[in-house]
């Protein structure tokens, strides 16, 4: 084999996967058709659960340092309205604003530090697979060549050619909505009122927030430093290539159609356009070819795709590492589809709800929006929706009865034999962890059979949620010993969980 895993696409999903695979002891090769980091504006930040995962890898401070405005007070667009998290003490959804190009730069830097190879200007033109390998036909700056690997992961976007070559269906709907996003400064002739409204010459006052007209929707907000975050949404029959940059003339033409007037603007910091698609791969795996990120799912709402794609890779990487390392239990790699297809469906749930909220134009739709806005004024429903958007509520199915199984491990403050620590610090190496939080020597003894794959830690914490937790490399909990659970029962289920997720114990394999 030329390498262990071929990754097609060096966007955030592909680069995150490359780093995670290196932590799993796997040799990835990333093939990207663009010759250099792409400066076409796309995503403008990361948020939700992926921020916790970056902290669990020891990377969050690096990302925070690269953001000009870490964790601003959040009023999140949702279905043509706003969810106001600013009045909550601890908001369930947080956002770290930064350009996608900067996200890719940091992830590429991390992949390089870990020893991953990224080839830019190399396009994959064909793939074929057999029982043992997958081969990519590539054209690069010096001509055509082939690369063979154990697996190939398509991270090449919503129009993935690799997904099509693998015969994976990508069913769903494309909506007529075209969204144009911008970060600009208003012209000198525009007055910005204290509440954020704009006084537009020749037109009058335009209210901050969302303005609906017969031709679409205009939305804007002004930040304290004077930057205008403005978007338009309108139905169009034209199919745009989202990879082609938008210019100021296109944005102004859209504003004229929607509002009936131009808003003088200058100094564009971001101009981008995209269409709303609601699609999901029917299978995330076809033999030795897998899909992740936009190649696996597209959502008809903003601020979801990049976070979901990066979380796909964290779930997938350690499972590929287990397969290539030879210790994966039967069916482990198939759980990638089971779990991340489920997570993608949860994300589609709130994205589709946003479609219903924003596209309705009759009195019933107005009533729906009014009712939703009333509910979102109360903390409990607002927190629930926020957790859904952030993917905080993701609990992978079929893992067990305890409420913690399948959820993301909380970042407990720990007192270990080596001093103060935390769950996040223990997860920096992306290794499975058995965390014993009380005097349960029988659990440590059982786990010794898997000590080559599973780290064993004993610690105390002020408010322990259980006697012990088995935490997977992606941060999700695979097994729990309930507080004061009888030794025999806990020992039995721990053996089952270790075998189910981490294969045959070392002693059994030797014996």
């Amino acid at each position: 084999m030329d390498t262990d895993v071929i990754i097609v696409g060096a966007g955030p999903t592909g680069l995150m996967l490359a780093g995670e695979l290196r932590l799993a002891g796997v040799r990835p090769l990333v093939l990207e058709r663009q010759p250099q980091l792409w400066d076409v504006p796309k995503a403008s930040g990361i948020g939700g659960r992926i921020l916790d995962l970056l902290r669990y890898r020891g990377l969050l401070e690096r990302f925070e340092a690269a953001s000009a405005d870490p964790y601003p007070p959040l009023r999140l667009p949702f279905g043509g309205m706003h969810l106001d998290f600013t009045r909550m003490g601890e908001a369930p959804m947080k956002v770290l604003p930064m350009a996608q190009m900067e996200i890719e730069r940091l992830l590429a830097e991390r992949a390089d530090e870990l020893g991953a190879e990224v080839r830019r200007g190399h396009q994959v033109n064909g793939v074929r697979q057999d029982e043992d390998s997958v081969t990519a036909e590539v054209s690069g700056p010096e001509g055509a060549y082939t690369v063979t690997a154990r697996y190939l992961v398509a991270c090449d976007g919503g129009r993935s050619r690799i997904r099509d070559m693998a015969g994976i269906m990508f069913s769903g709907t494309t909506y007529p909505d075209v969204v144009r996003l911008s970060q600009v400064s208003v012209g000198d002739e525009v007055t910005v009122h204290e509440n954020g409204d704009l006084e537009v010459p020749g037109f009058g006052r335009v209210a901050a927030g969302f303005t609906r007209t017969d031709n679409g929707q205009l939305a804007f907000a002004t930040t304290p430093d004077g930057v205008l975050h403005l978007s338009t949404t309108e139905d169009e029959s034209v199919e745009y290539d989202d990879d082609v940059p938008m210019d100021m003339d296109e944005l102004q033409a859209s504003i004229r159609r929607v509002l009936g007037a131009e808003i003088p603007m200058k100094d564009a910091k971001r101009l981008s356009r995209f269409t709303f698609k609601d699609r999901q791969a029917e299978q995330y795996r076809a033999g030795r070819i897998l899909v992740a990120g936009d190649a696996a799912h597209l959502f008809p709402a903003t601020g979801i795709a990049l976070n979901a794609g990066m979380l796909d890779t964290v779930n997938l990487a350690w499972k590929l590492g287990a397969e290539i390392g030879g210790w994966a239990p039967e069916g482990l790699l198939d759980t990638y589809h089971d779990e991340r297809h489920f997570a993608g469906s949860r994300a589609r749930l709130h994205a589709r709800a946003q479609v219903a909220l924003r596209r309705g134009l009759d009195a019933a739709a107005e009533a729906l929006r009014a009712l939703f806005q009333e509910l979102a004024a109360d903390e409990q429903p607002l927190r629930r929706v926020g957790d859904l958007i952030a993917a905080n509520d993701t609990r992978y199915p079929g893992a067990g009865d305890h409420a913690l199984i399948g959820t993301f491990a909380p970042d407990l403050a720990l007192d270990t034999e080596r001093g103060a620590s935390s769950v996040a610090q223990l997860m920096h190496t992306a290794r499975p962890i058995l965390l014993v939080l009380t005097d349960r020597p029988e659990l440590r003894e059982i786990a010794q059979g898997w000590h080559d794959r599973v780290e064993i830690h004993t610690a105390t914490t002020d408010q322990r949620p259980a006697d012990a937790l088995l935490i997977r490399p992606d941060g999700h909990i695979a097994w729990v010993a309930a507080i004061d659970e009888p030794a025999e029962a806990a020992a039995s289920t721990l053996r089952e969980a270790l075998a189910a997720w981490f294969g045959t114990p070392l002693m059994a394999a030797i014996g």
Side-chain angles (χ1 to χ4, degrees), residues 249-270:
D249 289 341
E250 181 182 333
L251 176 63
Q252 281 287 18
S254 179
I255 295 172
R256 283 196 304 271
R257 289 192 296 270
V258 173
L259 187 63
E262 286 194 6
I263 299 176
M265 297 178 296
K266 60 184 180 180
D267 302 331
K269 296 182 179 179
R270 178 191 182 189

Side-chain angles (χ1 to χ4, degrees), residues 65-83:
S67 174
D69 183 24
Y71 313 121
L74 191 60
R75 296 183 71 244
L76 192 70
F78 188 91
M81 297 173 288
H82 277 112
L83 298 176

Side-chain angles (χ1 to χ4, degrees), residues 454-479:
V454 179
E455 293 184 2
I456 304 169
H457 294 274
T458 299
T460 58
T461 189
D462 288 343
Q463 294 181 324
R464 78 178 194 273
D467 279 358
L469 304 171
L470 181 61
I471 306 173
R472 306 182 332 185
D474 59 1
H476 282 260
I477 297 171
W479 167 89

Side-chain angles (χ1 to χ4, degrees), residues 209-369:
F210 294 91
T211 298
R212 294 177 180 275
T213 73
D214 292 340
N215 295 322
Q217 177 179 273
L218 174 77
F220 68 85
T222 307
T223 60
D225 59 357
V227 176
L228 181 70
H229 293 250
L230 181 145
S231 70
T232 63
T233 304
E234 51 183 328
D235 286 0
E236 296 187 45
S237 58
V238 178
E239 184 171 348
Y240 292 93
D241 183 350
D242 293 342
D243 293 340
V244 176
M246 181 181 77
D247 58 23
M248 189 74 89
D249 289 341
E250 181 182 333
L251 176 63
Q252 281 287 18
S254 179
I255 295 172
R256 283 196 304 271
R257 289 192 296 270
V258 173
L259 187 63
E262 286 194 6
I263 299 176
M265 297 178 296
K266 60 184 180 180
D267 302 331
K269 296 182 179 179
R270 178 191 182 189
L271 294 170
S272 61
R273 169 213 327 106
F274 62 92
T275 53
F276 279 125
K277 298 181 177 67
D278 174 25
R279 298 185 180 277
Q280 189 170 24
E282 294 186 5
Q283 292 292 326
Y284 283 17
R285 178 188 181 192
R288 292 185 173 272
I289 299 174
L290 302 102
V291 294
D294 287 355
H297 40 63
L298 293 171
F299 306 107
T302 59
I304 308 170
L306 188 148
N307 305 311
M310 292 173 69
L311 289 172
D312 287 343
T313 70
V314 179
N315 184 287
L316 175 58
W318 72 273
K319 296 172 183 178
L320 282 173
E323 291 285 346
I324 292 166
W327 55 263
E330 184 177 356
L332 178 66
L333 192 54
D334 290 330
T335 67
Y336 167 64
H337 166 83
D338 298 338
E339 294 180 341
R340 292 310 298 168
H341 195 278
F342 167 79
S345 297
R346 290 288 293 168
R348 288 177 84 187
L349 175 67
H350 73 79
R352 286 169 160 176
Q354 292 187 57
V355 173
L357 286 167
R358 75 169 182 263
R359 286 190 59 79
L361 297 175
D362 61 7
E366 291 292 345
L368 175 63
R369 284 189 285 269

